[in-house]
Amino acid sequence: AGQSSIAIEVKGIAGLRRAITALSASPADYVRFAMERAGHLVAGAVSMRAPGSMGSRTRFVRVSGKGASVRATIAVKHPGAKSMEFGRKYYAVGYTRVGRRNVGGRKTVHPGQRARPFIGIKTGAQALGATKEPVARIIGDAMEREWTRLAGD
């Protein structure tokens, strides 16, 4: 599976990370909740753009990381999702069982399966591009709230 991220420029992120580490024993709750909201938003956009039954197999998995360095994980649990997003040019051929292992190889096919991205991992468009502005707004608001919370402590 591929990974992608939405780059959002937030002024003072390094200072926020230092402040969370130095001033607060508690995690950055506002940032964590914002990433969860953003993850559900992106998962919904991916689900709407996914072809066939892939839409119903799209899920927001979790928010991981600590402090201001958190990330949301979204998964499309479908065998054709990777080929649909990235394309395909290698196919398995000649696999047979020899003892306890499979023996075979792969065949390169040109042009192969054409990529039809719906998430936007390589291009930055599609679902990730459509949700970039709302996600930036959600995370920016969370960063401001976190600064306010740390200033009040």
Side-chain angles (χ1 to χ4, degrees):
Q3 290 186 344
S4 183
S5 60
I6 299 175
I8 301 168
E9 187 172 329
V10 180
K11 291 185 180 181
I13 187 69
L16 179 62
R17 285 185 180 139
R18 283 193 299 271
I20 288 171
T21 303
L23 301 175
S24 178
S26 66
D29 291 331
Y30 290 121
V31 176
R32 199 165 198 71
F33 293 139
M35 287 301 287
E36 191 167 328
R37 279 183 55 205
H40 284 291
L41 182 73
V42 173
V46 169
S47 179
M48 285 187 338
R49 287 166 175 77
S53 65
M54 288 182 209
S56 63
R57 294 178 178 210
T58 302
R59 299 279 183 266
F60 167 74
V61 179
R62 70 177 182 272
V63 173
S64 56
K66 291 196 268 184
S69 301
V70 294
R71 62 194 159 275
T73 304
I74 298 158
V76 181
K77 298 271 185 175
H78 190 278
K82 185 177 176 184
S83 297
M84 185 68 72
E85 182 71 21
F86 300 108
R88 181 177 176 185
K89 62 180 179 178
Y90 300 111
Y91 293 86
V93 293
Y95 273 89
T96 58
R97 190 89 170 149
V98 176
R100 291 186 172 188
R101 57 191 185 114
N102 291 324
V103 177
R106 67 181 186 177
K107 179 179 177 184
T108 306
V109 178
H110 292 288
Q113 180 179 339
R114 181 177 60 88
R116 291 172 286 180
F118 59 97
I119 301 171
I121 293 173
K122 290 175 79 174
T123 61
Q126 293 83 18
L128 292 180
T131 57
K132 186 174 183 176
E133 293 301 319
V135 166
R137 193 171 39 253
I138 289 169
I139 294 172
D141 290 344
M143 293 292 180
E144 284 182 32
R145 286 184 178 176
E146 201 61 47
W147 268 117
T148 306
R149 181 182 74 88
L150 289 174
D153 283 352

